[in-house]
Amino acid sequence: MVIVTTIRRDVLTLPAAELGPSNPLPPLRTLDEMHTIDDRDRVGLPSDMARQIGYEPLRSVLPERIRDGYERERPLRELDTIVIENDRLRATVLPGFGGRIVSLFHKPSATELLYTNPVLQPACFALNGAWFSGGIEWNIGATGHTTLSCSPVHAARVPAPDGGEMLRLWEWERLRDLPFQVDLWLPEGSDFLYVGVRVRNPHEKPAPLYWWSNIAVPEERRVLAPAEEAYHFGYERRLRRVPVPAYDGIDRTYPLNSTFPADYFYEVPDGRRRWIAAVDDAGEGLVQTSTDVLRGRKLFVWGSGPGGRRWQEWLTEPGTGGYCEIQAGLARTQLEHVRLEAESDVSWLEAYGPLSVSAETAHGADWEAARADVEGRLDSALSRDTVDAAYAAWLPHADTDPGEVLAVGSGWGALEVLRAAHKLPGTPFDESTLGDDQAPWRELLRSGAFPEPRRVGPPGETLVASHWRDMLETAPAAPIAEYHLGVAQWHAGDFAQAVRSWERALELAPSLWPLLRCLAVADQEAGNHERAADRYAEAFDDLCRERRDDGERWTAATAALGREAIQALLAARRPQDARAVWERLRPGTRDRGRFRLVEAELLLAEGRREDARAIFDAGFEVADLREGAETIDRLWSRLSDEPLPARYDFRMRPPSTL
């Protein structure tokens, strides 16, 4: 057999915003996750679904840092890609951005099967901030877009089941401490991209697991799935069961027929083949199918309302087409986490390819006929038995050692393997990938002591898993060790002990502001807003005395702490002190859109309503505006009785629910 599949490196050039530095302040506050529901909606849910909704929801994105250093300037940049293709399909992967497939091109029809964003513009949708729209993304960790959305993953060539080559992507997911792999291959002559996925739990206790494969497609489509009901979830945070395709007299399988952004989690009956498809007016489009382990299917729509349209513009270039997402996951909904038993793994196979159906039937009023046509065409192109056989053929290759390394991810997996001597065939986390971020933790592992930094600066990342917390508790009580111990204790819910660790560190620490900031957050969480404001003011004073230069790390720390301090001081009704913090921010920081919004709040607190309104009239863009955030419209309502200007309208739910 002549194998015609090739894997090669390439470069993609497009307008792309720089990610910038991560926020150096550890994210101590409880995660403000959009995907939570009213307790009333749990009544009547299937028992497994109700149990999984309550199983280990994520409370914090530690040990990750928030990625909010990006803006909205998009110079042309060259991005490293890996291209895998045969004579039928070409898939383009961004290993530096979570292994995202940004293009799936069908050669015979000269058709792009995905929504391909013409720009790379980060926005605050990932659990830890930066995310961008388009393509196929691999979401692991917890409800929401993965923290790896804009992070590198490891990539290498691996022998494929048919004797050709696969592209293996792998990383260590840090929220749940789980290694995973994604194997991509194109059998000779295949119109379908095969994707083998495995997630492993190498630990001695069960772990909560979340996985959804998200596929962006143009929104001028009809979305079909083998379901007659769906769970509808909107940003008013209510979950309800609705009929498919239509409810309230409107066919919701057309993304633009909904007004507001919404999720439709399809209730695929047990025993039915798992698939989801999106087809255009001519009946042409993309279909995704899988082995049965990947049970869930979902449609996400932005809707036709002003908020959804504004978000569509925000994520790309004005005037370009919009998108919706068809998705596949391990559970019925994205509100759930499943249990991955100790020292076990879960794996499945997905397939992505073109679909051509009868346009008249696919867009007709007979929903059963439309689904039957899709399923029949899918069976002809790629039968269920073929998918199951491909999975069985792939599984023995999942442990095969990678060959040529094509991209390098983080060193965190190597640190965990070094600590516990995990045996993870197929996904090596080599010591050569350890870097500066892992260096102090490697020293803690080697000597039992956390090294004091050689020069004063913003502290590095904190590892919070129980085994690292145990090591910190037995390490010599140096200030930096006490700081990290406090963060780990806080993450574990031991708030009182965390405060004691930070207070002990204050006595000898050469750098006070990181500890004062942690204590200020603790005060806020305890409802002591006045003392929190005092500590924030003291922390910012200390940082300004200590900062050494205008470099990236110090500028990011000043901006992050200043922003929190101003908010805390305004909450304590101390606008004069908030103004003092504002005046010491860098001029370049004050010019950013997110700080123009802060300035408007400050001006309003000072009684300068017209000056605050003038900021809105001049225009600003909050680059890291959070999905579902209502900060801008709430401030506007305090300044004016006029309708919210369209440029600021990011509302994702009906005004009656605000």
Side-chain angles (χ1 to χ4, degrees), residues 533-607:
D534 288 340
R535 279 179 160 156
Y536 264 119
E538 186 180 354
F540 194 76
D541 288 345
D542 185 67
L543 183 148
C544 290
R545 286 190 298 267
E546 184 179 288
R547 63 187 178 192
R548 299 292 186 261
D549 51 48
D550 293 334
E552 187 177 80
R553 293 178 68 220
W554 282 110
T555 298
T558 304
L561 184 59
R563 191 176 180 182
E564 289 188 12
I566 290 171
Q567 296 290 350
L569 289 162
L570 290 180
R573 295 183 173 84
R574 291 163 57 175
Q576 185 174 354
D577 292 334
R579 173 63 64 180
V581 172
W582 172 266
E583 296 296 340
R584 285 175 288 170
L585 294 173
R586 307 291 193 193
T589 297
R590 293 200 298 263
D591 290 340
R592 296 179 185 175
R594 65 195 63 145
F595 285 90
R596 294 288 286 162
L597 179 62
V598 169
E599 184 182 17
E601 293 180 81
L602 176 56
L603 289 166
L604 184 59
E606 293 172 329

Side-chain angles (χ1 to χ4, degrees), residues 84 89-92 101-107 111-116 135-136 186 191-193 215 286-287 351-354:
I84 175 171
L89 282 176
R90 180 172 63 244
T92 303
I101 298 177
V102 292
S103 172
L104 186 60
F105 186 78
H106 186 235
K107 296 179 182 181
T111 302
E112 174 58 57
L113 300 179
L114 305 175
Y115 167 78
T116 58
I136 304 173
L186 288 164
D191 278 317
F192 284 83
L193 173 68
I215 310 129
L286 174 140
V287 64
Y352 298 79

Side-chain angles (χ1 to χ4, degrees), residues 42-357:
R42 297 174 188 261
V43 178
L45 293 178
S47 58
D48 62 331
M49 183 176 171
R51 181 178 65 253
Q52 289 174 172
I53 286 176
Y55 176 52
E56 297 289 343
L58 192 69
R59 305 298 184 190
S60 163
V61 298
L62 284 166
E64 295 283 357
R65 290 289 177 88
I66 302 298
R67 307 197 72 164
D68 60 2
Y70 53 88
E71 292 295 334
R72 293 186 56 79
E73 294 79 25
R74 296 190 286 262
L76 279 178
R77 293 175 56 197
E78 292 186 346
L79 305 177
D80 291 332
T81 66
I82 302 173
V83 177
I84 175 171
E85 63 181 317
N86 64 5
D87 57 331
R88 311 288 293 178
L89 282 176
R90 180 172 63 244
T92 303
V93 178
L94 289 179
F97 292 82
R100 181 85 59 100
I101 298 177
V102 292
S103 172
L104 186 60
F105 186 78
H106 186 235
K107 296 179 182 181
S109 63
T111 302
E112 174 58 57
L113 300 179
L114 305 175
Y115 167 78
T116 58
N117 198 331
V119 303
L120 196 157
Q121 175 56 62
C124 192
F125 279 72
L127 288 163
N128 62 335
W131 168 88
F132 64 102
S133 63
I136 304 173
E137 57 181 304
W138 320 111
N139 288 299
I140 180 174
T143 298
H145 294 282
T146 177
T147 60
L148 295 166
S149 294
C150 291
S151 295
V153 297
H154 302 280
R157 299 177 191 269
V158 183
D162 60 0
E165 288 187 318
M166 293 190 295
L167 172 62
R168 175 163 298 161
L169 310 170
W170 73 98
E171 247 303 347
W172 192 281
E173 200 286 314
R174 301 174 67 203
L175 297 183
R176 304 301 197 181
D177 265 338
L178 301 176
F180 70 96
Q181 69 190 79
V182 177
D183 288 355
L184 311 176
W185 80 100
L186 288 164
E188 181 183 3
S190 175
D191 278 317
F192 284 83
L193 173 68
Y194 288 177
V195 181
V197 182
R198 178 171 62 174
V199 184
R200 291 190 274 207
N201 178 9
H203 308 295
E204 295 178 350
K205 62 180 181 179
L209 174 61
Y210 172 95
W211 183 283
W212 282 81
S213 301
N214 288 13
I215 310 129
V217 294
E219 65 184 349
E220 297 84 4
R221 298 288 187 272
R222 191 183 199 191
V223 173
L224 301 105
E228 296 181 354
E229 293 182 305
Y231 289 95
H232 170 273
F233 181 82
Y235 284 79
E236 61 272 27
R237 303 188 183 188
R238 297 301 305 272
L239 184 71
R240 56 187 174 129
R241 200 160 180 158
V242 298
V244 175
Y247 75 90
D248 290 343
I250 299 171
D251 188 334
R252 308 288 175 163
T253 61
Y254 291 91
L256 288 171
N257 282 357
S258 293
T259 303
F260 291 93
D263 299 327
Y264 295 91
F265 298 104
Y266 294 116
E267 180 73 333
V268 180
D270 291 342
R272 288 295 299 269
R273 186 176 185 182
R274 309 286 162 172
W275 58 266
I276 190 167
V279 299
D280 62 17
D281 290 344
E284 306 292 329
L286 174 140
V287 64
Q288 186 270 1
T289 188
S290 71
T291 49
D292 290 350
V293 167
L294 204 64
R295 68 172 298 179
R297 293 299 186 273
K298 171 194 161 182
L299 165 64
F300 167 75
V301 302
W302 282 108
S304 59
R309 306 328 296 167
R310 183 69 180 107
W311 273 115
Q312 292 267 34
E313 293 177 352
W314 187 254
L315 296 171
T316 183
E317 294 278 10
T320 59
Y323 75 95
C324 64
E325 287 181 354
I326 56 176
Q327 306 180 12
L330 285 173
R332 281 186 176 92
T333 74
Q334 289 172 337
L335 310 174
E336 304 166 68
H337 297 87
V338 301
R339 181 185 174 100
L340 184 57
E341 296 297 339
E343 300 178 334
S344 71
D345 63 68
V346 62
S347 60
W348 62 90
L349 184 125
E350 305 180 42
Y352 298 79
L355 180 72
S356 180
V357 297

